Amino acid sequence: GLAESKAREAAKTGHGSPEVSIDTIYRYFPTHIFGLDRNAIPALIDAEFQAEQELCFTNPDIAGLIREARARGLRVGFLSDTYWPADRLAGLLKGCAPDLEWDFLFASCDHGTGKTEALFRRYLEKEGLEAGATAHIGDNEAADIVAASKLGIQAVPYPQAGPALSAIFQRETLLFNLLCAPTADANRLDQGARTARRAIAGRAPAGKPAFTYGTEVLGPVMTAFDRFVADRVAGLSGGGRRVAVAFLGRDGLLPLSIWRVSRDIPVSYAEVNRRIALVGAAESVEPIAEMFRRLRQMNLPMATSFLKSETPRMRHYFKRQPGGIVTGDKFAEALPKLITKAEISSLTKRVRQQVLAHLRHAIPDFDACTDLALVDLGYSGTVQKSLRTILDLEGCPRRLHGLYLLTADDAFRDLDEADTAEGFLSATVISPSAKHALLKNISLLEQMCGDARGSVLAYDDDGTVQREPDPRPQSQLDLCASIRDGAVHFAKDYASLTAGAFADCFANLGISASWTGALLARALLLPTDDELLLLGRMKHDVNMGSQTLASMADPQAANAFALAGPLQAAFSIRRPPIPMWMAGSMAEISPLHGFLYALHGTGHLPADIVGDASLGGIDVVLIQANDGHPLTIPCYRDGFGNLRLHIPLPGKANITAVAIPASALPPRGIIRGVALQSGDNAADAMASPQVAIVPPGDLRALNMTLDNDLIAGGGGDGHLVVPVPPFAGKAAVMTVTVSPLDGLRLLALAGLA
């Protein structure tokens, strides 16, 4: 690339055109750094040409058009902006399509001029043609369409992917290098996947953003996963095995759709969700109680829906709770006293029988099969492991084989010996820490892949599904359906593309897995603005016997986390309520926040860059009624260069305001925000995801200027007075963040004397 740039710059300076040949480019190539002399240049050119031949392929649309035109007696040829001379260019064409014929071939390097300069005119003169009697087909607006049209040549644009896809490719390359550098396939090309995506995107319907997303982003991911599933299913056959394949609802709907447009092998759709599987597999109350710990709040209808049972003890328990609501942790702790062992046994037996009835209903050859392959997005194999227990308890021996897009591999360490589980994107492809970041943001993928109907509530006696009402808005269901349609379109168009001369870019599953991991990581961790507008307002249905919807992206909540402490702490927060798509939430604050989140997720964000660095200590005044109590607090500089103050507040002291001396503040600055968190103690408060923001209009200034959020007069003898709103915990921490203006850079202390 550098040698080519220097050669073109010299050519432009020397004779006014940047067109150069491959021989000219290699004059600028630094052979010495590889221990080679200049005599090696011909061999290097030959090696590059051989690589080019291996990467080139025939466009079936254009090849068919050429053959048809020649059959009608029309003269057909090629004009190309290229550093390969005509003889080499002819070799590339024949290498792709040996039977291809043409009447003329113009390479820009042979003529010292390109299509935007004089190559079209040179072609007309040499061929003795009138411009109006010729037509040119090309995919570059400037070189092929505008340049040809200026001379009166009929220009026919060949559709290609827009510039937005190129920007996505750049982001994918970044994520590939961050995620896959330790793997054996780190420096391998993607086997033509981007070229296929460009070709399919160029032919896809325009003006449908959701469909386009499905075609350009989700379709390649799920098509690659489909090839993995097909390969592993084929490997299970033989040896007297009778294998049935079941895609698990609801998330398995899109993988199922892609399977069905890609091949005629019959498969089934089995709707067994995590909640039902866990209840059916429970032999005691403890596994069920553990599920409730994941819920922020519980009420009687939720408990009844989950347990398929309502006891007098449960009714009485919820009546005693304020508003009939209790935390999931508290309900889990009380559950062993609310339901007896006999009631649990009766409940789980009934659910197991319903699950078996559904499997027989959904999978025609269930009773005849020896092995059942379960296909799902992943992640910990909860349904597979629960089904193992259900089948064992009901005396239905079947080997179970989980085939997942993404796996938390350590969760399968206790898998039954006869069973198997494999993730396309396993720890051999993506490191466990990076995979953890993907799983934290996986709800977005689930919504796009999943069924547009409510989750399974129970089953009828014949195994048909009873569904919960679906709380998601119809607009979201329509959006996800359009995305799935686009993904299926990619799979269908890809099949037709590879049926011609295009090489199968998903054939090497190892290389395909690495690039698929990068594609998925890019989509989940580093979304574009267009994707945020398209997907950010979606909701995630919690689906734990409730009708609760959680925000997918919530930039206000994410910004509150960022104001309350170091970015890495904000990125790592786990306790609810947090946005289901934290990467999108951070990206909505700013592209930089989104980029830093992606670096953090892949393990490449140094803590000392985005962390809070010490600036020393200052004295603030805690105001209680008419009294003031001095308190020395540490102050910090955050990763964006802001001043950050953490002020601990005792709950019983009735502190009404905090006075911050102007001497501790920048001469001019912007108040980025004032956050308040509470808990049992200061450390607990700092870890709380419940962040209250004090409105800027509530702040006051004494002997300094405060105009909305702009302060002036820092460094003087005034004070910034911040009110303390009521809080429920035993302690609280107020965090004040101020951005210095006028280019002031706050330098952290490093223990210097």
Side-chain angles (χ1 to χ4, degrees):
L2 182 60
E4 181 181 351
S5 297
K6 289 185 175 181
R8 291 190 183 280
E9 183 179 348
K12 180 73 173 178
T13 302
H15 55 82
S17 174
E19 296 302 320
V20 293
S21 69
I22 190 71
D23 298 290
T24 304
I25 291 173
Y26 269 91
R27 293 176 193 166
Y28 292 85
F29 186 78
T31 54
H32 64 282
I33 67 172
F34 299 99
L36 301 173
D37 58 28
R38 307 304 290 176
N39 294 327
I41 286 179
L44 294 173
I45 293 175
D46 287 341
E48 181 171 339
F49 183 73
Q50 182 179 347
E52 189 97 40
Q53 283 183 311
E54 293 175 358
L55 294 172
C56 282
F57 66 95
T58 301
N59 184 319
D61 295 339
I62 300 301
L65 183 62
I66 291 172
R67 293 185 180 100
E68 181 180 352
R70 287 185 60 80
R72 294 186 179 186
L74 299 175
R75 287 172 54 77
V76 180
F78 299 92
L79 278 77
S80 178
D81 285 341
T82 176
Y83 48 69
W84 293 114
D87 59 336
R88 294 274 198 177
L89 192 56
L92 291 176
L93 291 168
K94 285 293 186 180
C96 294
D99 63 335
L100 192 66
E101 296 181 352
W102 56 86
D103 298 295
F104 54 85
L105 180 61
F106 285 77
S108 61
C109 65
D110 290 338
H111 297 271
T113 185
K115 285 184 280 190
T116 58
E117 300 165 320
L119 189 60
F120 279 116
R121 189 176 296 109
R122 192 76 53 86
Y123 147 71
L124 293 174
E125 293 172 354
K126 188 164 184 177
E127 296 298 313
L129 297 172
E130 294 292 332
T134 65
H136 178 72
I137 300 174
D139 63 2
N140 186 285
E141 177 68 20
D144 294 310
I145 309 306
V146 175
S149 299
K150 284 182 178 179
L151 296 176
I153 297 172
Q154 182 180 350
V156 181
Y158 184 79
Q160 65 170 337
L165 189 56
S166 296
I168 286 176
F169 288 165
Q170 287 185 306
R171 293 177 183 229
E172 289 171 356
T173 299
L174 170 68
L175 267 300
F176 179 81
N177 290 328
L178 293 177
L179 287 170
C180 304
T183 70
D185 294 322
N187 296 315
R188 300 295 294 273
L189 298 174
D190 67 0
Q191 308 301 293
R194 288 187 178 180
T195 305
R197 291 166 66 191
R198 284 186 181 277
I200 294 171
R203 301 188 297 195
K208 299 179 178 180
F211 188 93
T212 298
Y213 183 89
T215 301
E216 296 182 356
V217 179
L218 190 58
V221 171
M222 302 313 295
T223 301
F225 176 51
D226 175 77
R227 292 297 302 276
F228 163 78
V229 171
D231 178 83
R232 296 307 191 259
V233 167
L236 289 173
S237 303
R241 292 183 174 187
R242 300 188 65 176
V243 181
V245 181
F247 288 74
L248 294 178
R250 298 185 293 176
D251 301 344
L253 178 65
L254 178 56
L256 170 70
S257 302
I258 290 181
W259 174 283
R260 286 177 170 168
V261 300
S262 302
R263 59 192 61 81
D264 295 327
I265 302 173
V267 293
S268 303
Y269 185 55
E271 297 184 77
V272 183
N273 62 28
R274 180 180 59 176
R275 172 164 49 95
I276 285 179
L278 281 168
V279 172
E283 299 180 74
S284 66
V285 73
E286 283 76 14
I288 298 175
E290 189 60 33
M291 288 296 298
F292 290 121
R293 296 189 190 282
R294 305 180 186 183
L295 299 180
R296 185 183 173 204
Q297 291 182 331
M298 289 287 303
N299 59 17
L300 180 60
M302 288 177 63
T304 302
S305 177
F306 188 100
L307 296 170
K308 310 294 183 297
S309 175
E310 179 183 319
T311 68
R313 290 180 299 280
M314 275 196 287
R315 287 195 297 271
H316 183 64
Y317 172 79
F318 279 105
K319 282 182 180 179
R320 298 199 313 268
Q321 308 306 319
I325 297 173
V326 66
T327 66
D329 279 337
K330 191 173 180 180
F331 180 71
E333 184 178 347
L335 186 60
K337 300 177 183 178
L338 303 178
I339 188 167
T340 67
K341 186 175 181 179
E343 288 168 336
I344 283 288
S345 179
S346 175
L347 165 66
T348 58
K349 177 68 174 178
R350 184 170 69 252
V351 172
R352 286 198 298 271
Q353 292 173 342
Q354 289 182 346
V355 169
L356 281 177
H358 173 67
L359 292 177
R360 290 189 172 101
H361 174 80
I363 305 170
D365 52 353
F366 177 75
D367 284 315
C369 76
T370 61
D371 295 74
L372 180 58
L374 305 171
V375 184
D376 194 12
L377 297 184
Y379 316 96
S380 300
T382 302
V383 173
Q384 177 182 349
K385 289 184 285 187
S386 297
L387 280 178
R388 171 77 280 144
T389 301
I390 290 172
L391 294 176
D392 289 345
L393 291 174
E394 292 300 309
C396 295
R398 302 283 188 284
R399 288 184 290 266
L400 299 179
H401 308 281
L403 299 173
Y404 305 111
L405 174 65
L406 190 68
T407 46
D409 300 280
D410 62 317
F412 295 94
R413 62 185 181 276
D414 56 351
L415 206 64
D416 189 271
E417 289 183 1
D419 296 344
T420 64
E422 186 177 2
F424 183 41
L425 306 180
S426 68
T428 62
V429 178
I430 300 176
S431 70
S433 59
K435 198 182 298 183
H436 177 70
L438 297 186
L439 292 175
K440 283 180 61 178
N441 292 274
I442 206 68
S443 296
L444 179 69
L445 181 67
E446 294 172 345
Q447 291 300 315
M448 295 187 291
C449 290
D451 207 325
R453 298 171 292 180
S455 185
V456 178
L457 176 64
Y459 308 100
D460 292 328
D461 291 340
D462 64 354
T464 56
V465 173
Q466 298 176 17
R467 300 185 185 281
E468 297 176 349
D470 197 321
R472 293 172 294 179
Q474 187 61 45
S475 58
Q476 177 174 322
L477 298 178
D478 294 341
L479 171 71
C480 293
S482 184
I483 292 173
R484 290 193 299 274
D485 288 344
V488 171
H489 168 80
F490 177 91
K492 292 173 65 176
D493 210 3
Y494 180 76
S496 65
L497 198 65
T498 53
F502 193 90
D504 185 0
C505 59
F506 300 128
N508 185 317
L509 291 177
I511 296 174
S512 176
S514 294
W515 278 102
T516 301
L519 266 63
L520 181 61
R522 202 289 309 164
L524 296 181
L525 302 183
L526 203 58
T528 67
D529 281 10
D530 287 342
E531 291 168 350
L532 292 172
L533 291 171
L534 181 70
L535 308 171
R537 300 287 77 82
M538 285 204 297
K539 301 287 185 180
H540 176 74
D541 53 333
V542 175
N543 180 26
M544 290 290 288
S546 75
Q547 293 289 290
T548 303
L549 289 174
S551 296
M552 192 63 68
D554 188 343
Q556 286 76 29
N559 189 53
F561 300 152
L563 287 174
L567 264 188
Q568 286 197 327
F571 292 161
S572 303
I573 196 164
R574 298 181 183 181
R575 291 161 55 185
I578 58 173
M580 303 305 296
W581 189 23
M582 182 63 86
S585 304
M586 287 293 171
E588 285 202 34
I589 299 176
S590 76
L592 181 57
H593 280 80
F595 178 66
L596 292 175
Y597 183 89
L599 287 181
H600 169 77
T602 57
H604 291 83
L605 186 61
D608 65 333
I609 291 180
V610 296
D612 284 1
S614 174
L615 296 175
I618 64 168
D619 290 328
V620 299
V621 178
L622 305 184
I623 300 174
Q624 180 185 36
N626 295 321
D627 294 330
H629 304 278
L631 177 68
T632 300
I633 65 166
C635 58
Y636 302 91
R637 185 214 64 211
D638 72 9
F640 294 96
N642 301 318
L643 173 70
R644 176 169 282 157
L645 309 176
H646 294 300
I647 307 167
L649 303 170
K652 295 182 179 180
N654 296 319
I655 305 299
T656 59
V658 176
I660 302 170
S663 58
L665 300 173
R668 294 179 67 246
I670 295 176
I671 300 173
R672 291 298 177 189
V674 178
L676 186 74
Q677 299 162 281
S678 64
D680 290 337
N681 50 56
D684 184 59
M686 287 289 292
S688 172
Q690 299 278 7
V691 183
I693 300 298
V694 179
D698 291 353
L699 277 61
R700 297 290 180 266
L702 299 176
N703 296 326
M704 61 183 298
T705 300
L706 174 62
D707 184 3
N708 291 321
D709 56 0
L710 180 66
I711 60 171
D717 57 0
H719 285 82
L720 177 69
V721 180
V722 184
V724 177
F727 56 88
K730 297 177 182 178
V733 174
M734 173 182 284
T735 302
V736 181
T737 305
V738 181
S739 293
L741 295 178
D742 304 324
L744 179 63
R745 171 75 151 86
L746 303 176
L747 295 177
L749 298 174
L752 301 177

